[in-house]
Amino acid sequence: MIHMRTKEKAIEILMMACSFLTVLTTLGIILVLLIDSIKFFSEVSIVDFFTDTQWTPLFSEKHFGILPLLTGTLLTTFIAVLVAVPLGLTIAIYLNEYASPKFTNIVKPILEVLAAVPTVVYGFFALQFVTPLLQQFIPDLRGFNALSPGLVMGVMIIPYITSLSEDALRAVPSSLREASYGMGATKFQTAFKVLVPAASSGIMVSIILAISRALGETMIVAIAAGQEPRLTFNPKESVETITTYIVQVSMGDVPQDSLEYRTIFAAGLTLFLFTFILNNISFWIRKKFQNKYE
Amino acid sequence: MDYKLEAKNANLWYGNKQALKDITLSIEPNSVTAFIGPSGCGKSTLLRCFNRMNDLIEGSRIKGEFLLDKANIYKDIEVYDLRKRVGMVFQKPNPFPKTIFENVAYGLRINGINDKKLLAEKVEWSLKNAALWDEVKDNLNNSALSLSGGQQQRLCIARTLAVEPTVVLMDEPASALDPISTAKIEDLIYELKNKFTIVIVTHNMQQAARVSTKTAFFYLGELIEFDETKKLFTNPEEEKTQNYITGRFG
Ligand SMILES: Nc1ncnc2c1ncn2[C@@H]1O[C@H](COP(=O)(O)OP(=O)(O)O)[C@@H](O)[C@H]1O
Ligand SMILES: [Mg+2]
């Protein structure tokens, strides 16, 4: 008996240590970002950082305006979401309401493979296949552009939306389905007027998760979107995202303890703030709606 | 006689299991018909045949005829149209997580009615007919889920009435409610038969006796006896009916 109890205790301590480790890692990341960002902002005004329309820290005439990187990030993410939300949601509705359970059980794992493909593969797929293909229809599309990696990223994040939305749709009580069908509603009407609204909180969470994933995606945009920070919302142009910039600098030969090097922490902190806010929104939605049917 | 609903030699199977056995019965317009019998005897199953809700159950199969106004429910009427003419109220109140107004307007909207004034009129008419108007008329934009269980069930009745069906099927509509709410629903059913044909499943014999004009007693998928409610409860023909209503089984 005593032996059992010590064992239990040991396991408990081990598990606690694990959760502490993740908390510590998170805190460590925030700390590192903050320390170097504070050093950065002691040399560059925060107003310039958010209002200057040029980002040229590595040139002789230095500008530290995050806007071009931010628009690059938001543009590629926006294109991805534009692809992923309608497609992901349609697939979720189809799997839930139209397809046979057998079909769903086969298709869902296949779909999830999309999220498991290494992103470097997607990157080259965008650069060497999608871009040339698109150039057949859009002649003035640049070799590096926001459109092609945006589209490919959209495909990559479909499973995030489908999987969570499908769970949310499935959780809608079947009594609501019966009520709708019982009034003479079609499948389509039932899906879009009853099930989707009833599952809206779960669907929102899935979309937010997908957006976070797209915001943080690095490889695809680094390979196919180019490395030219440009303040534009034109998807045909080459753009640079925050993540691409961070990779570019950390792989380059910029001296570690320099202002140029610290730009990546300021940029990283900006990105972190975005995903942090998104996470909180999704946490709030989940909390607010979790007991709706209980 | 022009019957509203008829079942002729109706059989139903769930997979291999036969749930309805050769049932023949006719229901008059503007009447309240009660289906009684022990749990699992097929009351809900028969009820759901009349608006084809059993179609949603995989592996269910029917043989025989079901008629609405002499037209074959499974052959001559489109299923969406059928369900508008034959509405259904379920055992547990199942309002949509929408406002009170939108719940009642749902059936109208799916029929393409979007005119604000018309919607408001029909919603009011339905809520009045469901005896709920006075309680909710100032809170139409509140969530339906904020209502009490009894109010939710009357809301579901209003939602069903909104598309002006001719038949309303009710599957134990008061079994999840307290006695006061139950009494309100029973009064309501009594009123509704002036405008609609009502078929109600109940496991509560007093309820059947109070609200219905005719009663059908089922046992193990068979229709044992179908008669005037008063006759069936006071002087049944069949011994099984006698045993059931005197509480000797079920
Ligand atoms: N979806 C279903 N699948 C298989 N069998 C069912 C299903 N629904 C009901 N049954 C069976 O059919 C019989 C009649 O059920 P039901 O009509 O619900 O009875 P009642 O409403 O009189 O209690 C029961 O034996 C029940 O187990
Ligand atoms: Mg039943």
Side-chain angles (χ1 to χ4, degrees), chain A residues 175-176 178-187 189-190 193-194 197-198 292-293, chain B residues 48 51 53 56 80 83-84 90 94-98 106-107 109-110 159-160 163:
Chain A
S175 63
L176 295 188
E178 285 203 318
S180 178
Y181 287 128
M183 307 218 44
T186 60
K187 266 189 183 182
Q189 289 168 331
T190 304
K193 296 196 174 192
V194 176
K292 195 151 77 177
Y293 300 116
Chain B
R48 293 162 64 95
N51 71 344
M53 288 304 278
L56 304 177
Y80 307 115
R83 290 180 185 151
K84 279 159 198 162
F90 299 85
N94 56 356
F96 300 127
K98 299 175 189 279
Y106 181 75
R109 287 201 192 277
I110 62 173
R159 180 177 65 186
T160 303
V163 291

Side-chain angles (χ1 to χ4, degrees), chain A residues 141-162:
Chain A
L141 185 71
R142 304 266 307 262
F144 291 111
N145 60 74
L147 182 61
S148 154
L151 294 177
V152 170
M153 205 151 72
V155 172
M156 179 190 75
I157 61 177
I158 283 176
Y160 290 82
I161 293 184
T162 301

